[in-house]
Amino acid sequence: MTTQKLLKNWAKDAVDVFNPLSQTTSTQYYLQSPLDQITTPVDTLVLGINPHGEISKGAEKSPEEFLKGNPKWDRRFEGNHVSREWSNYFGKAHKMICGNQERDHLMLDNDKKTVWENLTPFVTPDSGQLKPEHWDAGLRSTADLITILKPKRIILLSESGFNRLAPYIAIEHLPIVKDTITQRTIEIGTIGGYPAIQLSHPSREWITHSLFLPMIVQLHKLHAVDDKIEPLEEAATKIKNQLRRIEVI
């Protein structure tokens, strides 16, 4: 079965659960980047927590509408630079991963190679307002999506992504760096066997040099060697050794 056919089946199963939940909780839901263009396994999957927005009446979607993603997704750039409208959550994450806010036509901003989604698609002003049923339905669906997309790497922009996904898909993880001021950690691991890194979203203030986090995200590539997953302890040691070469200025 093709990747697109699998995604269409996944979307149908998802909206069968999300539509009634959206109505009973008066909560909108949507994907971020479109999935109706995906035909092969992707290079990178970026997962935030959930879409941020005002609580509003629930709405039903068809599988086709759901796969098209956020209707405002195409507005995230003005020319080749992140737009003002998208400058906070998307713009800061883009800068952290790429080191800038310029459109990367070949990789990060190619919707066939990089997917930007969330652990759960339900919209709230703050993730603390998500209900247990939003988490359960969203995480089950996200776990299934990961097995379809088969990403070469996953970037979790949250402090609890590994733990939240653990009941739904095989997880390994361990911390590699801890910020002594904020007590936030960067962790590496695997999700369903795919290399992953976890760190809090850059919209939250980190007490580090602005170039520090892009380096960390790039260093997680050491976790995959010739498409074989290294033991986490070995990958962590390599990354920590690399970090000793970084001078914060």
Side-chain angles (χ1 to χ4, degrees), residues 20-244:
L21 182 55
S22 176
Q23 296 291 340
T24 58
T25 61
S26 298
T27 312
Q28 296 275 3
Y29 72 93
Y30 59 84
L31 294 172
Q32 288 288 5
S33 64
L35 298 182
D36 57 356
Q37 304 177 37
I38 305 295
T39 57
T40 60
V42 301
D43 289 335
T44 304
L45 172 61
V46 184
L47 288 173
I49 300 175
N50 75 307
H52 287 245
E54 295 303 316
I55 298 290
S56 58
K57 291 182 180 179
E60 293 192 352
K61 287 182 171 62
S62 68
E64 293 76 19
E65 290 172 325
F66 185 52
L67 284 176
K68 288 184 181 299
N70 187 338
K72 296 182 179 180
W73 183 247
D74 287 340
R75 290 160 49 179
R76 68 195 188 282
F77 288 101
E78 293 173 348
N80 285 323
H81 190 80
V82 173
S83 68
R84 184 176 302 178
E85 180 183 6
W86 285 77
S87 62
N88 189 22
Y89 289 98
F90 174 76
K92 290 180 179 178
H94 195 284
K95 184 174 182 180
M96 182 188 72
I97 297 169
C98 290
N100 60 56
Q101 294 191 0
E102 301 302 314
R103 188 193 292 266
D104 176 357
H105 289 276
L106 295 178
M107 296 297 295
L108 193 77
D109 300 310
N110 182 333
D111 288 337
K112 293 183 179 181
K113 293 181 178 293
T114 297
V115 170
W116 295 72
E117 301 300 350
N118 290 290
L119 294 174
T120 181
F122 289 93
V123 181
T124 57
D126 183 86
S127 60
Q129 295 171 279
L130 289 165
K131 300 179 183 296
E133 51 266 43
H134 291 145
W135 278 116
D136 181 60
L139 290 165
R140 287 181 188 279
S141 179
T142 298
D144 289 340
L145 179 62
I146 290 169
T147 64
I148 295 171
L149 294 178
K150 298 179 172 58
K152 293 180 182 177
R153 62 191 66 88
I154 300 171
I155 300 173
L156 291 171
L157 299 181
S158 71
E159 296 177 352
S160 61
F162 280 131
N163 289 335
R164 287 193 180 277
L165 279 167
Y168 306 93
I169 191 170
I171 298 285
E172 279 189 282
H173 65 108
L174 55 82
I176 57 169
V177 177
K178 183 175 184 178
D179 182 78
T180 58
I181 297 176
T182 64
Q183 301 300 303
R184 294 176 186 147
T185 60
I186 297 174
E187 299 187 42
I188 60 168
T190 60
I191 300 175
Y194 303 107
I197 187 167
Q198 173 176 285
L199 62 167
S200 64
H201 197 286
S203 60
R204 302 184 65 179
E205 191 66 29
W206 277 79
I207 311 301
T208 56
H209 187 275
S210 61
L211 294 179
F212 187 66
L213 293 183
M215 288 181 176
I216 290 291
V217 175
Q218 293 302 314
L219 284 171
H220 93 282
K221 294 178 182 178
L222 291 171
H223 189 24
V225 179
D226 298 327
D227 294 327
K228 294 179 64 177
I229 308 303
E230 295 182 332
L232 287 184
E233 293 78 7
E234 291 182 22
T237 298
K238 286 184 179 181
I239 292 176
K240 289 175 181 178
N241 288 340
Q242 288 281 359
L243 289 175
R244 294 194 183 102

